[in-house]
Amino acid sequence: MSEEHREPDGLTEPDEGYDEELLDLFDDYREAFEDYDAEAVADCFAYPAVIWQFGKGNVFQDDEELLENIEKLFAALEKEGVVASAFDILSAHVEGDAAMATLTWTQSDADGEAVIEFTCHYHLIYDGDAWRIAMIVNEP
């Protein structure tokens, strides 16, 4: 599957190999982070959801549990001055109602300077009307 670059404004059209609804999920996820909208971030997940980071897996049974984690993350992002996020899809594979995708993220300040750069691996499920994140593995 070819690479696809998505940026905060002026999003490019997806290549044929990408599922448009999968791209919509990541666009919604990015926009929720830029808006500091914890509920919109939580809406991107299927439950229970698992997030692996810093060598530890955390299971969130519902959006209420995840919202606590998101609020802490937002506090850290605000402290760093993050106002924009952009992602590149390094790889994606869709098979039926399951998908895997690897994205690199750049989170920038008001001057457009990169503040945080990282890679995440996503395991996704299609719940009948939309793609949802079932698991994230953050690279250290």
Side-chain angles (χ1 to χ4, degrees):
M1 203 168 275
S2 62
E3 287 187 21
E4 177 64 33
H5 182 73
R6 305 281 281 203
E7 296 188 64
D9 42 78
L11 298 178
T12 60
E13 290 299 314
D15 289 342
E16 277 185 39
Y18 289 113
D19 181 297
E20 183 67 30
E21 291 180 61
L22 189 70
L23 293 171
D24 289 345
L25 168 68
F26 289 118
D27 283 336
D28 291 347
Y29 191 61
R30 177 193 50 77
E31 288 173 12
F33 270 93
E34 287 184 348
D35 294 340
Y36 283 83
D37 185 341
E39 289 184 14
V41 171
D43 287 345
C44 293
F45 285 81
Y47 297 96
V50 178
I51 299 177
W52 280 89
Q53 57 191 4
F54 309 117
K56 180 181 174 189
N58 295 289
V59 178
F60 302 93
Q61 295 298 326
D62 55 34
D63 61 346
E64 188 174 308
E65 288 183 12
L66 185 58
L67 284 168
E68 288 180 42
N69 183 273
I70 294 168
E71 292 296 342
K72 290 177 186 174
L73 177 57
F74 280 174
L77 294 176
E78 281 183 310
K79 185 177 179 181
E80 294 294 327
V82 171
V83 298
S85 298
F87 63 86
D88 284 309
I89 298 176
L90 298 181
S91 66
H93 177 76
V94 176
E95 190 68 40
D97 288 345
M100 295 178 68
T102 297
L103 279 63
T104 58
W105 288 92
T106 302
Q107 294 181 309
S108 305
D109 63 17
D111 295 327
E113 295 294 320
V115 176
I116 304 168
E117 296 178 308
F118 57 96
T119 299
C120 289
H121 308 280
Y122 297 87
H123 294 244
L124 310 147
I125 61 167
Y126 191 77
D127 70 1
D129 68 339
W131 286 103
R132 304 267 185 243
I133 300 167
M135 181 170 68
I136 299 174
V137 178
N138 291 319
E139 284 192 10

